[in-house]
Amino acid sequence: MTNDSSVHHTVPSSLEDGRHHDEQTEIADGAAVDGNIHVGYWDSAADDRSLNQATDRLTDLVAERLAATPGQHLLDVGCGTGRPALRIAQATGARVSGISVSDQDIDLARTRADATSLADRVDFQYADACALPFEAASFDGAWAIESMMHIPDRTIALTEIARTLRPGSTLVITDVLLRSPVTGHSAEIVRQTCRAFQSPSLPEPGELRTALDRAGLQLVVFNDIGEHVRRTYQAFADAFGDVAPSADDPHHEFFNSTRFLPRFGALPQIGYAFLVARRT
Ligand SMILES: C[S@@+](CC[C@H](N)C(=O)[O-])C[C@H]1O[C@@H](n2cnc3c(N)ncnc32)[C@H](O)[C@@H]1O
C-alpha cells in the first residue's frame, strides 16, 4: 500500500525477527507481565485486576475455547516464554508443544517448564510458524496469542497450522486488530508502534477471514474484544515509562515506543481479535 493508511514495513527475516523477540522476551520475563507477552483482559471498568492477572485472564479465555481434555496434544504458535503454554497445560491436562523464532524464548520457556511439575507434558522448540516441523494432523488443537501480527504472510502460517491439525480440531487466535484504515497522525502512531514491535502490518478483519478460508479453517467466532484489553497500553507505559535506555541500547526503540503506546491504544481503529476457527 502506498497511501496514508499503510502501516507496512520492510519484512524482517526470521533471523532478525528472532533477534528482536529475544530483546522483547528479556524485557517481559519477570517484569509487570511476569512472562506473558500479550495484552490483559478486563471484564469491565470496575474490574480491578492487575496487569499481570489480566494477562493470565486472556490466556484462560483461550483455554476455555480450546476445551481440550487430558491426553490431547496442543500446539502453541509463538510461545513466548512459555507462561501461556504451562497455564493451559495445567488447566486442561493436555500436552503442549510450543514454538517460537526466538532462541531466548525457548531457553526461558524450558527453564520455566523445568521449575514446574509439567515438564513431562510441555516442550518447546525453535521453529517458524510458516514451516512447522510436525507431521500432518499431529495436534488436537492450537492457539496463537499475538504471533500473527509478527508474521508477514498470515495465509502461509495458517495453512501450515491447519496442516498440523486433526480435522474437527480448534484453533484460537488472539491479536491486535486494525479495525479500519488510519490516516495522517494516527497512521504515523500505528507505523511507529509496528516498527517498535517488528510487526510488518497489523492484521485486518477481511484479511484474517480470507487467510483462514484459504487455509481450510472455518471461522466459528470473530469477536473484537478491543474495549476489554485497551487498558493494557496505558498500564504497559506506566510499567516501563521510567526506563530510558541510551540510543545505542538494543531496547531503545522498544522503550521509546512505550511513550506513545497510550496514544496507540486510544485510537478507535485499534481493536483486538479473538477468533475461534475449526479445521475442516
Ligand atoms: C508478542 S509475543 C507473544 C508470546 C506468547 N504467545 C505470549 O502470549 O506470551 C510473539 C511471539 O511470536 C513469536 N513469533 C514471531 N514470529 C514467529 C514465526 N514466524 N514463527 C513462530 N513464532 C513467531 C515470537 O518469537 C514471540 O514468541
Side-chain angles (χ1 to χ4, degrees):
M1 290 201 291
T2 52
N3 64 20
D4 229 358
S5 68
S6 167
V7 288
H8 292 253
H9 299 287
T10 308
V11 173
S13 71
S14 266
L15 185 63
E16 283 167 340
D17 201 41
R19 213 178 284 135
H20 170 80
H21 287 295
D22 285 351
E23 291 165 8
Q24 284 199 352
T25 295
E26 198 180 301
I27 293 160
D29 199 56
V33 284
D34 196 17
N36 282 323
I37 317 176
H38 60 244
V39 298
Y41 182 98
W42 288 268
D43 288 320
S44 66
D47 185 343
D48 62 359
R49 279 184 179 83
S50 66
L51 175 59
N52 197 2
Q53 291 168 334
T55 54
D56 276 343
R57 171 104 166 96
L58 184 83
T59 305
D60 294 345
L61 292 175
V62 172
E64 273 170 31
R65 289 294 186 162
L66 285 167
T69 52
Q72 287 192 326
H73 193 185
L74 304 174
L75 173 65
D76 178 0
V77 181
C79 61
T81 68
R83 186 169 167 123
L86 289 164
R87 193 168 174 88
I88 290 177
Q90 174 81 60
T92 62
R95 286 165 56 211
V96 178
S97 294
I99 60 116
S100 168
V101 290
S102 158
D103 282 319
Q104 193 173 6
D105 270 3
I106 300 305
D107 286 350
L108 284 166
R110 286 176 179 161
T111 303
R112 192 183 287 279
D114 286 345
T116 71
S117 56
L118 299 166
D120 58 334
R121 282 203 281 121
V122 180
D123 63 88
F124 300 99
Q125 64 176 290
Y126 183 100
D128 190 326
C130 297
L132 291 170
F134 304 111
E135 300 284 317
S138 300
F139 296 102
D140 304 291
W143 75 88
I145 303 179
E146 289 176 38
S147 47
M148 287 299 137
M149 66 182 284
H150 299 289
I151 297 174
D153 192 328
R154 262 85 72 167
T155 301
I156 293 179
L158 290 171
T159 302
E160 188 57 353
I161 294 167
R163 181 187 67 76
T164 68
L165 284 173
R166 298 202 172 99
S169 53
T170 298
L171 168 66
V172 181
I173 298 172
T174 81
D175 226 307
V176 180
L177 184 72
L178 188 65
R179 289 173 173 163
S180 56
V182 278
T183 56
H185 186 56
S186 304
E188 185 50 31
I189 293 172
V190 172
R191 232 178 253 125
Q192 283 179 329
T193 307
C194 284
R195 192 159 50 237
F197 288 95
Q198 286 278 304
S199 168
S201 67
L202 296 181
E204 296 176 36
E207 176 220 343
L208 285 174
R209 286 178 195 278
T210 304
L212 285 166
D213 191 47
R214 289 192 178 142
L217 292 158
Q218 183 197 353
L219 186 58
V220 180
V221 172
F222 193 136
N223 285 340
D224 182 345
I225 59 169
E227 303 323 311
H228 290 277
V229 312
R230 209 173 277 289
R231 224 190 282 181
T232 306
Y233 304 104
Q234 183 63 55
F236 215 69
D238 291 345
F240 297 110
D242 291 340
V243 186
S246 62
D248 57 348
D249 186 294
H251 306 320
H252 178 79
E253 181 135 27
F254 174 82
F255 281 111
N256 221 15
S257 76
T258 61
R259 274 185 273 284
F260 52 78
L261 268 185
R263 276 181 281 155
F264 173 78
L267 293 174
Q269 295 93 340
I270 298 303
Y272 195 89
F274 190 102
L275 307 188
V276 182
R278 187 143 301 130
R279 167 80 160 91
T280 50

